[in-house]
Structure formats: C-alpha cells, structure tokens
Amino acid sequence: MDLNEKVEKSADFLLKLLGNQTPRSAMICGSGWAKVADELKIIQETSYDEIPALTNTQVEGHKSVLKIGETEKGLTLLFLGRRHYYEGEGWGSVIAPILLIHALGIEKLVLTNAAGGINEDFDVGDIMLLEDHINMMGNNPLIGGNIHPDIPRFPDQTNIYNSDLRNFVQAQALECNIKTKEGIYLAVSGPSFETPAEIRAFKKMGADAVGMSTVPEAIVANSLKMKICALSLISNQAAGKSPNELSHEEVSETASRILPKMKVLTNQILNSL
C-alpha cells in the first residue's frame, strides 16, 4: 500500500471519530510542546498505531498520539509527536501528517518546534514566530515524482508562513500579555548539533534560530495551499554561544519551565482560529 492509499484509509478512519466533521485547524507538536494539549477539552484520542499513514516517533519526549480537541470555534487535531528526516526513513513518515490534514479538508496549520537561538537578542525561553525559513537540510520533500496531484511541480513559497495568520497570532499573544519574537528559522538535517563555525555562517545568512524540523512540513503544507503559522521555543543557545554542552535534556528542561506560557498561547490561538 503506497502512502496516498494509507492517507485515504487514515482519513476514512478519522472521519468516523470526528463524526464526519471537518476540524478548523491542526497542530503538530514538536519537542516540549505535547503537554499544551492538557489545556484543551479533548473529546477523543488514538495512538498512531491505529492510523495507517502514521508511524511511531523515535525521539524521547515525542509521544505518538493524535488527540481531537474541541475549541470555541470547532474541532482541532493535535499530533503529539513528529517524525524527523534524520531517522533515516525518507520523507514519507515526515510528511504523512500533512497529507492527512489536507485529506480531511483542514486549511489552517500550526507547527511547533524547539530551536537553538542564534540571534543575540533572543533569550532562552523566548517564543519565536517564524516569518520565513532557510532550508539547509540538503534535501527537499518534493524531490522525485509528484507526491500529490494538488501540488504543482514548482510551488511558490513567497508567503509560506501566512502573513495574515502571523499577524493574527501576534494579536492573540498580546491579548494574553505574552511577548513573542519574530525571526528566520534555519533547518538542518541533524541529528548532530551544529558546530560553532556553522552557527557563525548561519548568522551571516540571516538565521535567528536553528532546528531539525518544521521546514519539510511547511513546504508540503504551503504547496497544498494551507495557511501556516509556526512557533519556535528558543530552548537553548546555539553552539558557540552557550557555555553548556548542547543536549536534548536542556531542550526538555527549558520546555518544562516555559510550559505554562506555551499552554496559554496555544490555547488562545486554537480557540480563536
């Protein structure tokens, strides 16, 4: 069974759970973001094992659960955990949630991640709203045969992180008295952290933060005409800027500390979309 067939079966399965309703939004929870779902009214959940198109995550701190939340405006899908390119299984497992979201007719997508801060004005614990990205993963999920008939061969990416949606999210953050930063996210393949020399180069390229996710999903979702916003938790200072050795544990510790703010912000966004 190819990926598109798995997506079709998955959509049929989820539509039954959804009572044939189309959710208004979806969110993919990156490192440290899964617990934001605790603030929402969850009416149904299922493990990735039950969904043909999805596969279990392999990174500590990433669950493998899809939750259906009820917001003030309608239903939302929360993907607790994501797959990464560095896991070595190709793009299928990484982009499957996006294809599934599209198959369900969802048009608004919130992407989240943890990132290393490059911009000297950023502090650990800041939340950055992506205004654009730089793809340094050495690959692109659209290489090869067309993965979906709705995706053009050469999709435009001028407004990949929808400016109207970004302004909307900024307004929601202000309403919650939460300050956000804006910046450029640079994606690398990982799984090794970057070297100090690479970080200096990325800074000259205009990057404000660096991570190992989000960009592939954004490329595919944008190509499918979804409206996307993306949030990065600045979980650590990038290599050469931090006195500490970089580790996934530091990412988790920062997320735990900033979690109350992350919960308030995402709850406000999803209830207003």
Side-chain angles (χ1 to χ4, degrees):
M1 189 186 310
D2 69 17
L3 180 56
N4 284 320
E5 290 176 316
K6 291 179 181 179
V7 168
E8 187 176 341
K9 286 183 175 293
S10 299
D12 290 341
F13 170 76
L14 289 177
L15 280 171
K16 292 178 182 177
L17 290 182
L18 293 163
N20 288 316
Q21 296 182 68
T22 299
R24 289 182 60 86
S25 62
M27 182 169 76
I28 295 179
C29 297
S31 296
W33 288 86
K35 290 184 178 180
V36 299
D38 297 346
E39 291 297 300
L40 291 168
K41 179 182 178 182
I42 303 300
I43 61 172
Q44 186 66 269
E45 66 178 74
T46 184
S47 71
Y48 285 5
D49 286 334
E50 299 295 319
I51 305 171
L54 303 184
T55 52
N56 288 337
T57 57
Q58 299 178 11
V59 181
E60 184 180 348
H62 283 251
K63 298 183 179 182
S64 299
V65 176
L66 175 65
K67 294 192 175 187
I68 301 170
E70 187 174 64
T71 74
E72 295 174 8
K73 296 292 184 69
L75 300 181
T76 186
L77 294 188
L78 302 162
F79 292 78
L80 306 191
R82 63 148 50 91
R83 301 302 303 274
H84 295 79
Y85 185 56
Y86 59 69
E87 294 172 43
E89 296 182 8
W91 289 118
S93 60
V94 177
I95 65 173
I98 306 302
L99 297 178
L100 179 53
I101 290 165
H102 176 71
L104 292 168
I106 301 169
E107 297 178 348
K108 295 177 181 177
L109 172 64
V110 180
L111 298 170
T112 63
N113 62 59
I118 296 176
N119 189 319
E120 293 177 357
D121 292 331
F122 287 7
D123 296 319
V124 172
D126 282 346
I127 294 176
M128 182 185 86
L129 190 58
L130 274 65
E131 58 180 302
D132 209 339
H133 73 232
I134 300 170
N135 181 10
M136 291 294 289
M137 300 185 81
N139 210 323
N140 186 301
L142 300 182
I143 288 175
N146 198 352
I147 61 173
H148 194 282
D150 290 343
I151 296 179
R153 178 73 283 190
F154 304 106
D156 177 73
Q157 295 190 91
T158 304
N159 191 26
I160 190 165
Y161 301 99
N162 184 267
S163 55
D164 290 338
L165 189 53
R166 191 164 70 245
N167 291 336
F168 170 83
V169 170
Q170 285 178 321
Q172 301 308 311
L174 287 174
E175 192 167 319
C176 299
N177 200 28
I178 292 174
K179 293 182 179 179
T180 59
K181 303 289 181 67
E182 280 201 31
I184 309 299
Y185 177 89
L186 185 145
V188 294
S189 66
S192 58
F193 286 108
E194 308 74 36
T195 68
E198 289 170 333
I199 294 302
R200 290 194 297 271
F202 296 160
K203 182 178 179 180
K204 291 181 179 180
M205 293 171 66
D208 296 294
V210 61
M212 304 174 189
S213 67
T214 302
V215 166
E217 295 105 317
I219 289 172
V220 175
N222 175 70
S223 301
L224 290 167
K225 306 301 182 186
M226 292 182 204
K227 292 185 177 180
I228 310 161
C229 69
L231 302 167
S232 290
L233 169 65
I234 305 302
S235 56
N236 57 278
Q237 295 290 350
K241 298 170 62 62
S242 171
N244 305 318
E245 184 175 301
L246 299 184
S247 68
H248 190 68
E249 288 71 25
E250 183 180 6
V251 172
S252 300
E253 288 170 6
T254 302
S256 295
R257 179 168 57 85
I258 306 300
L259 184 61
K261 181 167 70 172
M262 296 155 65
K263 284 182 174 180
V264 169
L265 179 58
T266 53
N267 186 65
Q268 178 72 20
I269 292 169
L270 293 175
N271 274 297
S272 303
L273 276 178

